[in-house]
Amino acid sequence: MRVLLIRHAQSSNNPLEGLPDFARHRLPDPPLTSLGHGQAARFADWAATDSVCRGITHLYSSLMTRAVQTAAPLAWTLGLPVYGFADACECGGLSTGPAGGFAPVVGRDHASLLSDCPALVWPAELSGQPWDGGCEPWDVVQFARRAERVVARLLDGADDAAVVALVTHQDFAQFLLAELLKLPPTDGHGPIFRLDNTGSALVELAADGQPRTLHWLNRRPHLHMR
């Protein structure tokens, strides 16, 4: 079985990172920029030509807007549903950030997100409800436990020939990769693995208990397409 982790395309918060007024201008649940929509489209085009990506059997996405918008063209290209996954959100979830005292922010509901991704299947546990936004304290132990739950669910019901893809986020991907590769978890103070916008990581899980294999890291369409 192979697991493909995909970081979302550029969101409106990404160009603000490192600027002095970032905290004041950041959005709790930012959409993709025009560049981000182009990145997501290029990823979908590349997936149609890549031997691994065009074999994706299960497609999941965080319920954050930037992840769902990234998954939409990929789902359309591959003819797959997108299974919404609340636990796959970025570390910290949705909040007002430092300028607002990290107050919780409720996520979007199914009807709203369907306008961005018509293929989105809403989580059964949230039937008739919006996502609560997943706001949480910065606690690396809890992030690691959440990653363990996410990986267990990704693998549940998938057979040895499956290619399971998840659109997720840079910080949380550190914990997912640590869980997939059975590495010591990150301390949360810096990335172990870099994933740029629409960068992906492919992990192969051996059925016979042999070491797991990281086939690629931070592979991006514009580096592999003419």
Side-chain angles (χ1 to χ4, degrees):
M1 183 188 303
R2 287 167 289 182
V3 177
L4 182 70
L5 300 180
I6 306 161
R7 186 187 175 192
H8 62 82
Q10 187 192 67
S11 78
S12 62
N13 282 355
N14 291 150
L16 303 176
E17 292 171 7
L19 297 180
D21 56 354
F22 170 74
R24 183 163 58 92
H25 291 292
R26 73 174 288 280
L27 297 175
D29 189 19
L32 297 184
T33 62
S34 57
L35 173 60
H37 281 290
Q39 290 172 335
R42 285 196 298 277
F43 189 93
D45 289 343
W46 168 65
T49 67
D50 181 80
S51 60
V52 172
C53 292
R54 68 170 181 257
I56 292 171
T57 55
H58 305 70
L59 178 57
Y60 296 87
S61 176
S62 154
L63 292 178
M64 290 180 159
T65 295
R66 56 196 184 272
V68 173
Q69 290 180 337
T70 300
L74 181 60
W76 187 88
T77 296
L78 299 179
L80 292 172
V82 178
Y83 294 99
F85 203 158
D87 261 355
C89 67
E90 180 60 296
C91 296
L94 297 183
S95 78
T96 55
F102 294 98
V105 172
V106 174
R108 295 168 64 188
D109 62 18
H110 192 197
S112 173
L113 283 169
L114 280 173
S115 64
D116 288 326
C117 180
L120 181 65
V121 178
W122 201 239
E125 66 271 18
L126 297 181
S127 180
Q129 308 172 60
W131 174 46
D132 67 7
C135 186
E136 60 188 351
W138 194 270
D139 182 339
V140 296
V141 173
Q142 293 303 314
F143 299 154
R145 289 176 180 168
R146 180 154 63 87
E148 184 178 1
R149 295 197 304 271
V150 168
V151 168
R153 182 172 164 189
L154 291 177
L155 305 186
D156 183 37
D159 60 34
D160 291 345
V163 179
V164 180
L166 170 66
V167 183
T168 186
H169 305 268
Q170 163 67 1
D171 289 341
F172 190 54
Q174 310 306 307
F175 295 90
L176 291 170
L177 283 165
E179 174 64 22
L180 285 164
L181 296 169
K182 298 304 180 185
L183 300 174
T186 174
D187 61 8
H189 294 295
I192 300 173
F193 303 101
R194 181 173 180 82
L195 284 179
D196 294 318
N197 294 125
T198 64
S200 62
L202 179 67
V203 179
E204 183 171 358
L205 311 181
D208 58 3
Q210 294 301 308
R212 300 175 174 195
T213 303
L214 178 63
H215 284 287
W216 73 61
L217 177 68
N218 205 28
R219 191 176 181 191
R220 294 170 291 164
H222 66 274
L223 297 179
H224 298 270
M225 293 177 62
R226 293 182 183 275

